[in-house]
C-alpha cells in the first residue's frame, strides 16, 4: 500500500495534474480503510490539527523551531 502511495505521489509531483491528484486521494482513502480507520476519523484528525496549528491555505511553511536553552 505504501509503495503505491509513493508511486502516485511521484506521478502527481511530476505532472501536477488534477487526475494524478485524484489518484493520490484514491490511494490515501484505501490506506485509511486498510488500516482500520474511517474517512470521518481522518477528517476529524485533519480538522483538529488545522484548528491547533493552522492549515495550508496561506502556503506558509514552518522551516524550524528555535528553543531558548
Amino acid at each position: 500500500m505504501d509503495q503505491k502511495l509513493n508511486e502516485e505521489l511521484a506521478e502527481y509531483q511530476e505532472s501536477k495534474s488534477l487526475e494524478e491528484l485524484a489518484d493520490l486521494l484514491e490511494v490515501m482513502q484505501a490506506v485509511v480503510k486498510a488500516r482500520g480507520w474511517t474517512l470521518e476519523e481522518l477528517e476529524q484528525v485533519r480538522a483538529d490539527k488545522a484548528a491547533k496549528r493552522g492549515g495550508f491555505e496561506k502556503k506558509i511553511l514552518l522551516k524550524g523551531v528555535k528553543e531558548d536553552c
Side-chain angles (χ1 to χ4, degrees), residues 48-60:
D48 291 347
K49 289 182 76 172
K52 289 179 187 172
R53 302 179 188 175
F56 295 100
E57 294 86 20
K58 295 180 182 176
K59 300 178 184 175
I60 298 172

Side-chain angles (χ1 to χ4, degrees), residues 5-19:
L5 189 60
N6 289 332
E7 175 187 319
E8 293 299 337
L9 177 57
E11 289 175 8
Y12 169 72
Q13 288 174 324
E14 183 177 319
S15 72
K16 304 290 191 263
S17 74
L18 187 59
E19 289 79 13

Side-chain angles (χ1 to χ4, degrees), residues 9-69:
L9 177 57
E11 289 175 8
Y12 169 72
Q13 288 174 324
E14 183 177 319
S15 72
K16 304 290 191 263
S17 74
L18 187 59
E19 289 79 13
E20 291 299 341
L21 193 58
D23 289 347
L24 182 58
L25 181 58
E26 184 74 27
V27 175
M28 290 173 59
Q29 291 173 342
V31 169
V32 167
K33 292 176 185 177
R35 300 265 161 78
W37 301 314
T38 67
L39 296 175
E40 291 78 15
E41 289 172 311
L42 176 64
E43 174 55 24
Q44 186 62 56
V45 169
R46 187 211 58 77
D48 291 347
K49 289 182 76 172
K52 289 179 187 172
R53 302 179 188 175
F56 295 100
E57 294 86 20
K58 295 180 182 176
K59 300 178 184 175
I60 298 172
L61 180 64
L62 178 64
K63 290 187 177 184
V65 177
K66 182 178 179 181
E67 294 185 32
D68 294 330
C69 294

